Amino acid sequence: MNSQILPGATLGMLGGGQLGRMFTVAAQTMGYKVLVLDPDPGSPAGIIADKHLCAAYDDEQALAEMAEICAAVTTEFENIPAQTLAFLEDKTTVRPSSKALAQTQNRNVEKNFIASLGIATAPYVPIQRREDIAEVEKTIQFPAILKVATFGYDGKGQVPCDNLDDVYKAFESLGEKECVLEQKIQLEREISVVLARSETGSMTNFPVAENAHVNGILHSTTVPANVSAEQSQAAIQMADDIARGLGYIGTMAVEFFVSTDGDIIANEIAPRPHNSGHYTLDACHTSQFEQQVRMLCGLPAGDCDLVSPVVMINTLGDVWGNSEPKWDQLLAEPNVKLHLYGKKEARVGRKMGHFNVLAANTDDAMAQASRLFDAIHGE
Ligand code: ATP
Ligand code: MG
């Protein structure tokens, strides 16, 4: 077993977005220093890090400097080139590994991997070229969704399709890049599991979260999720199997669909903390970001227990309208916790922050969260 990395050491973060920022806060709180690599000079994590290397993810000079300074390196973003992690792996501790990350960067590779574990996915067909489309009805039924295989997030690069003709048009509109065509599942709800796996293979998971999306972007997370104990156990077991199959070390998440038949179907893997785990910042003994620090440093996992029912609401750039949201409305409530990411420009669909509402039960938390979401609109 590797020796533990203790406070005082510098930890490296590939990517400077909000996930990197919340990792940085957690690490600094525990007494670590953080170096962030991100090409954006105003990146949310870069602006609060002890050191910000403002360089491209394939800049070998910057990566060599990072490896020199950092006792260990992790990531907040699955699209960091796997070669970047491989380059760093020769020089320092990197968690998760380049191999684990590579399995999650392409939707076809990821689905093949999940299916190889005997875990259900939505029926899917890889579409590499136009000719692949003619055969899809052998495997899937319409309606379906055509998704680009790489670099999609927050519902970007996805086109709903009702027939073959739609798929041809959608494939063209997506630039004939590698895609996956997925059968549309009749959803009862969506859930996710955030877990942490240590270098010795022990696993801890946060309570199952229930997620509601608007326009393909996460809007709210409710915990505890409204699912049976059996469904919850099944999702946790699948997430564990996926983490073990990847040989994963660190914090990761698996998104699931719950079909109207009650089946649990894996949607996708996030090799990092996840938006649906932001509730842990205020509602669990340990946050998903502290857990990421602990796994990176070879420390034992923190306690994942839920302290209070909670609803998390994302605040997208949409909320800004023509003026700053009315934060006073939100901050007036003593059971509500606001998290803003320090992004300068509020664009429609851009994740700017979130807030957690802690209450005696999830119905009360959701009622208050919905009221506040309306109250803060800047117009
Ligand atoms: P994110 O980054 O927010 O996870 P993403 O771009 O990776 O999003 P997906 O998770 O594949 O995209 O899809 C976003 C949402 O679209 C899902 O959470 C779900 O609400 C809906 N969706 C995607 N695929 C399907 C499907 N096969 N059946 C039903 N709904 C789907
Ligand atoms: Mg998703």
Side-chain angles (χ1 to χ4, degrees):
M1 193 168 116
N2 288 339
S3 54
Q4 293 180 336
I5 298 166
L6 294 172
T10 301
L11 306 177
M13 170 51 76
L14 292 162
Q18 63 267 19
L19 301 176
R21 178 183 174 99
M22 290 181 271
F23 167 88
T24 301
V25 171
Q28 290 175 336
T29 301
M30 295 164 78
Y32 294 94
K33 294 191 180 67
V34 178
L35 179 154
V36 167
L37 177 71
D38 187 301
D40 174 6
S43 76
I47 57 178
I48 65 161
D50 296 274
K51 186 172 173 71
H52 178 194
L53 285 178
C54 198
Y57 296 124
D58 58 359
D59 180 329
E60 291 195 355
Q61 203 182 327
L63 293 173
E65 186 177 351
M66 183 177 210
E68 179 70 33
I69 297 172
C70 298
V73 175
T74 189
T75 171
E76 57 124 38
F77 177 46
E78 58 268 40
N79 290 321
I80 300 289
Q83 302 93 292
T84 292
L85 274 77
F87 180 88
L88 291 166
E89 273 162 359
D90 286 341
K91 302 173 173 60
T92 186
T93 301
V94 180
R95 294 169 173 165
S97 68
S98 57
K99 214 165 135 244
L101 205 77
Q103 296 275 51
T104 68
Q105 291 181 323
N106 176 302
R107 290 187 194 273
N108 287 314
V109 174
E110 178 175 286
K111 284 185 199 301
N112 290 342
F113 165 69
I114 294 172
S116 77
L117 299 173
I119 293 172
T121 65
Y124 67 98
V125 188
I127 309 287
Q128 318 277 359
R129 59 194 79 78
R130 211 180 147 77
E131 294 72 57
D132 296 335
I133 297 172
E135 303 283 296
V136 298
E137 281 169 302
K138 287 186 179 155
T139 314
I140 64 146
Q141 290 174 349
F142 288 103
I145 306 173
L146 189 70
K147 303 180 179 181
V148 287
T150 54
F151 295 108
Y153 70 99
D154 289 347
K156 291 187 174 70
Q158 301 197 9
V159 185
C161 299
D162 286 327
N163 50 52
L164 272 186
D165 202 35
D166 283 356
V167 184
Y168 283 109
K169 285 189 197 130
F171 188 56
E172 254 171 55
S173 78
L174 294 172
E176 309 216 345
K177 287 201 278 285
E178 181 187 346
C179 284
V180 58
L181 187 69
E182 257 180 66
Q183 184 166 319
K184 197 159 184 208
I185 303 293
Q186 294 288 339
L187 298 180
E188 186 183 80
R189 60 187 83 246
E190 294 186 66
I191 59 175
S192 56
V193 176
V194 177
L195 64 77
R197 186 168 182 274
S198 76
E199 63 185 346
T200 59
S202 65
M203 281 194 257
T204 42
N205 66 274
F206 291 98
V208 174
E210 179 167 348
N211 304 313
H213 293 77
V214 176
N215 300 326
I217 306 180
L218 184 67
H219 172 64
S220 69
T221 296
T222 302
V223 187
N226 186 12
V227 289
S228 68
E230 291 73 31
Q231 287 175 318
S232 174
Q233 223 23 68
I236 292 166
Q237 187 59 55
M238 290 182 206
D240 276 12
D241 289 347
I242 288 171
R244 191 173 301 108
L246 290 172
Y248 197 89
I249 305 176
T251 295
M252 59 166 267
V254 183
E255 299 175 9
F256 296 95
F257 301 134
V258 182
S259 75
T260 46
D261 298 332
D263 296 332
I264 312 285
I265 297 167
N267 173 24
E268 59 175 351
I269 305 167
R272 49 172 171 77
H274 192 256
N275 195 167
S276 70
H278 290 357
Y279 78 88
T280 62
L281 283 162
D282 301 305
C284 290
H285 283 290
T286 307
S287 78
Q288 61 171 349
F289 302 101
E290 176 176 342
Q291 208 74 304
Q292 186 181 19
V293 174
R294 287 174 165 274
M295 295 301 105
L296 182 62
C297 294
L299 303 172
D303 184 341
C304 295
D305 285 355
L306 192 69
V307 178
S308 163
V310 58
V311 168
M312 187 273 329
I313 302 283
N314 268 339
T315 53
L316 305 181
D318 314 41
V319 180
W320 268 245
N322 295 321
S323 57
E324 192 69 12
K326 296 173 183 149
W327 299 128
D328 55 330
Q329 301 277 327
L330 211 146
L331 295 168
E333 318 254 335
N335 59 326
V336 178
K337 300 287 186 181
L338 177 63
H339 300 259
L340 292 175
Y341 308 146
K343 295 183 185 178
K344 285 199 191 73
E345 198 194 336
R347 290 192 298 270
V348 171
R350 189 176 199 203
K351 289 173 178 169
M352 302 296 289
H354 69 271
F355 62 91
N356 287 324
V357 179
L358 310 180
N361 57 65
T362 54
D363 285 348
D364 287 356
M366 186 53 96
Q368 190 180 357
S370 304
R371 185 168 54 69
L372 287 171
F373 184 72
D374 292 339
I376 60 176
H377 275 82
E379 297 293 323

